[in-house]
Amino acid sequence: MEEGIFAVLLMTSVSSALSSSVIDPKGYIVYCPCMGRFGNQADHFLGSLAFAKDIDRTLILPPWVEYNFPKPTSDQIPFDTYFRVDAVQKYHRAITMEKFMKNLAPKIWPKGNRTVFCYGQSYSGGPGCDAKHGNPFGPFWDTFNIDFDSSEYYEPLSFDTSNPFEVKRWQERYPPERFPVLAFKGAPAHFPVEQRNLGLQQYVVWSDDMLKKANDLISEKFSNDKYIGIHLRLGSDFSNACKHIDSGSALFASPQCVGYRGEKGKLTLEMCYPSDDTIVKQVKRAVKEKEINNVFIATDSRDLISKMKKAMPKVTFARQDGNSPHLDLAVLGKSDHFIGCCVSTFSAFVKRERDVAEKSSEFWAFKKFKKEEL
């Protein structure tokens, strides 16, 4: 990479929405969203967006990694399939990975000159960061025909860019003239999403296509009347995970209800994996208090419609006919009230979206500490 190109471009201002053919002189960040399903990836996305903003590089928006068993490898779904790029750009410079690889990578990140970044030596036994070992790592980078020629260990730097000193260390150690692209093996972010980054959800806006699908479903199921949205995380994998919690300890997205320091309550098994009776009673109470007789159900397993119908015969219960988790999320976000799982990052996505819109939400079996308990 010729340093002269960047020297010239540094003389120009960098807008929040650079043309897909204009090189950002301040450099780029790209990463593999390789931890978990959509909820986890969304948590990591917010942190990565904040990281890119703090060290002042354009964020390359990676595709979402999806798993369709029994298919042996993951699928990579372009970012803008579900969300608007221009909404992200209102916060910080961003470009889809597809446009970056087509229009800019040949100029500033050509084959034969691609370095991958990781904290330290890989534990997989492979060379360097071994960034393409296993699924989804290999399939993700292979989607764009990316092979790495070297590894860079960024130890002891951290992703805590709320600290100005840490920001300066990143910028001084990896100037864009020498490192135009910081390609991370995994997301440059903490999990779950840091408290300071929760508000970035406002820049994650559904695409027009997703909104149309959500509106069509709401019209079909409820004739556009008010409805309560609920998320049931009742799969066997979650049941097994919840068995390992100790009362009061954090797990996955639980800080969203118990607080990041446990200041709002204690995590219990019933909050993580509520009983059928708890679910039915809580929905019945919400229906009565909100005076809403429609309930939309998003579930990874059982929907409990038969049980709830017996307890609430005048209430209309519905779920989507297909199997799109993103459609579930969009519909839950638009509901007039939401009940979700404290521990689930899927529920957390909905809760953050609703907080931005100032819509009401609650969690299964969760009771906040009383003031005298604090």
Side-chain angles (χ1 to χ4, degrees), residues 107-163:
K107 304 173 186 176
I108 67 168
W109 203 46
K111 291 183 178 181
N113 191 27
R114 292 173 177 170
T115 298
V116 65
F117 288 69
C118 60
Y119 189 74
Q121 177 71 39
S122 169
Y123 293 105
S124 65
C129 294
D130 199 16
K132 297 180 66 176
H133 178 80
N135 181 40
F137 297 92
F140 176 84
W141 299 111
D142 283 343
T143 298
F144 301 94
N145 297 312
I146 294 173
D147 289 311
F148 294 107
D149 307 288
S150 60
S151 294
E152 174 71 21
Y153 305 139
Y154 57 80
E155 181 184 7
L157 302 187
S158 75
F159 301 138
D160 180 20
T161 49
S162 63
N163 181 348

Side-chain angles (χ1 to χ4, degrees), residues 16 71 82 118 157 173 249 255 261 265 272 291 304 322 360:
S16 63
K71 186 177 179 180
Y82 302 127
C118 60
L157 302 187
R173 183 166 169 177
S249 63
R261 297 168 299 282
C272 188
E291 298 182 336
L304 301 188
S360 61

Side-chain angles (χ1 to χ4, degrees), residues 1 5-6 8-10 12-28 58 60 89 93-96 99-100 102-105 107-108 180:
M1 181 64 218
I5 294 177
F6 279 96
V8 172
L9 288 172
L10 278 168
T12 64
S13 62
V14 182
S15 70
S16 63
L18 284 170
S19 165
S20 61
S21 61
V22 176
I23 297 172
D24 183 354
K26 296 186 176 181
Y28 295 82
T58 291
I60 300 171
Q89 291 170 335
R93 304 184 302 278
I95 183 175
T96 64
K99 288 183 177 179
F100 174 81
K102 178 181 179 180
N103 300 328
L104 300 178
K107 304 173 186 176
I108 67 168

Side-chain angles (χ1 to χ4, degrees), residues 279-308:
I279 293 169
V280 172
K281 289 179 181 178
Q282 197 161 337
V283 171
K284 188 173 183 178
R285 183 174 67 246
V287 165
K288 181 179 180 180
E289 292 178 352
K290 302 296 180 180
E291 298 182 336
I292 297 175
N293 288 322
N294 297 306
V295 178
F296 177 79
I297 302 164
T299 179
D300 67 330
S301 180
R302 298 175 296 123
D303 59 31
L304 301 188
I305 288 179
S306 60
K307 286 189 176 184
M308 288 191 284

